[in-house]
Amino acid sequence: RTLRRFIVTGPEDPKVFDIHAGSSSGSKPKLGLAFDSYPTIGRNGCGTKGAVVRMFLAMDANFRDPSDPTIGLPLKCGSDSRAEKNWIPFEREGKLFFVYSVIPHVVMQAATGDGTCGQKYNTNFLPLVQLQGKYSGYAFSGSAQAIFVNCNTCTPLLPEPHYLALFHVKDPRKGEYAHFAYRFKAEPPFPILQVSAQLPLMAAQAQEGGPGFAFASGLAVKDNRIVVITYTAGDRESRALVLALKDLDNFFNATEAKV
């Protein structure tokens, strides 16, 4: 017989982003870090319901000095009875928001001081709703962070200010992922405007075997020209998809997302 134990080693799926919330006017932005983790065990243990994964937020992380600890506070929104992960952080006008879910597209404002959540916006994007109906057993979840883009000549297929973000679709039976970029409006209620064709991330087989996979974890845009999508391949290698913003714009030529 084999005894298997699930051992938690710490935070997972970190999302690093700049945030001006809580900073004085004209000051440099703080470094924010959102991640998911099991909660720490308190004096009463995990409670009667056991422990589930929660989202945490750490503000003003000092990456230059690892000996300077930064406390991650649990975000007090979502469910206490099921796992909460894959939220997409972004900033608008000095306020922090999270994309809570992709279908429906739920966006929540979050307080950086105590982890509470404020106003919630809920919209639907019909092509994604139809895709989810076609693949009812698949999971649609957010990835990485959202980036504000304002360059009409760089994104001729969407010549207006918007946010660029990622999401993934998982086939739970095969353990396979498909990744997509999407764009949503820069003002509340932040509806989805466009979804790209599938992104060409190079998968690799995990050391434990099984199907090869890739999992996107980071998104950056440099000077409105270069897009960098960081991802893991088979939980073995760190890789990056680097392309011009204009080239990524061409992925939105697809009439509909396909898994």
Side-chain angles (χ1 to χ4, degrees), residues 103 124-133 195 255-257:
I103 308 175
N124 268 309
F125 186 62
L126 182 58
L128 275 186
V129 173
Q130 294 173 335
L131 186 67
Q132 186 184 48
V195 174
T255 56
E256 60 180 13

Side-chain angles (χ1 to χ4, degrees), residues 1-190:
R1 294 183 179 182
T2 301
L3 176 63
R4 293 193 177 189
R5 290 178 176 169
F6 185 66
I7 300 175
V8 180
T9 58
E12 294 183 323
D13 297 337
K15 294 140 177 100
V16 182
F17 56 95
D18 285 337
I19 181 71
H20 292 80
S23 302
S24 60
S25 178
S27 63
K28 292 183 179 180
K30 296 180 179 180
L31 182 66
L33 182 66
F35 59 91
D36 61 77
S37 176
Y38 281 91
T40 55
I41 298 178
R43 65 176 63 184
N44 298 318
C46 297
T48 57
K49 296 182 180 179
V52 294
V53 173
R54 300 279 300 276
M55 285 295 298
F56 288 76
L57 174 65
M59 292 298 298
D60 208 11
N62 186 359
F63 66 93
R64 292 186 174 88
D65 184 5
S67 65
D68 182 14
T70 303
I71 304 300
L73 298 176
L75 288 165
K76 302 172 184 177
C77 37
S79 173
D80 292 329
S81 58
R82 69 170 186 270
E84 293 285 7
K85 58 192 307 185
N86 298 320
W87 297 7
I88 303 174
F90 68 96
E91 182 187 22
R92 179 182 182 270
E93 297 181 349
K95 297 178 181 179
L96 177 63
F97 293 85
F98 284 93
V99 177
Y100 176 73
S101 72
V102 177
I103 308 175
H105 198 241
V106 178
V107 176
M108 300 184 298
Q109 184 178 342
T112 57
D114 57 7
T116 57
C117 292
Q119 189 168 0
K120 181 185 294 186
Y121 304 93
N122 192 320
T123 58
N124 268 309
F125 186 62
L126 182 58
L128 275 186
V129 173
Q130 294 173 335
L131 186 67
Q132 186 184 48
K134 184 177 179 180
Y135 299 95
S136 58
Y138 288 30
F140 291 68
S141 304
S143 301
Q145 54 276 81
I147 304 296
F148 180 70
V149 176
N150 186 11
C151 180
N152 293 354
T153 58
C154 306
T155 58
L157 294 178
L158 187 62
E160 64 177 78
H162 61 272
Y163 285 94
L164 174 67
L166 306 175
F167 74 90
H168 60 269
V169 182
K170 181 181 179 181
D171 181 349
R173 295 171 300 175
K174 298 180 180 179
E176 296 177 343
Y177 294 87
H179 291 82
F180 302 86
Y182 78 99
R183 294 162 166 169
F184 61 91
K185 199 169 184 63
E187 299 86 23
F190 307 108

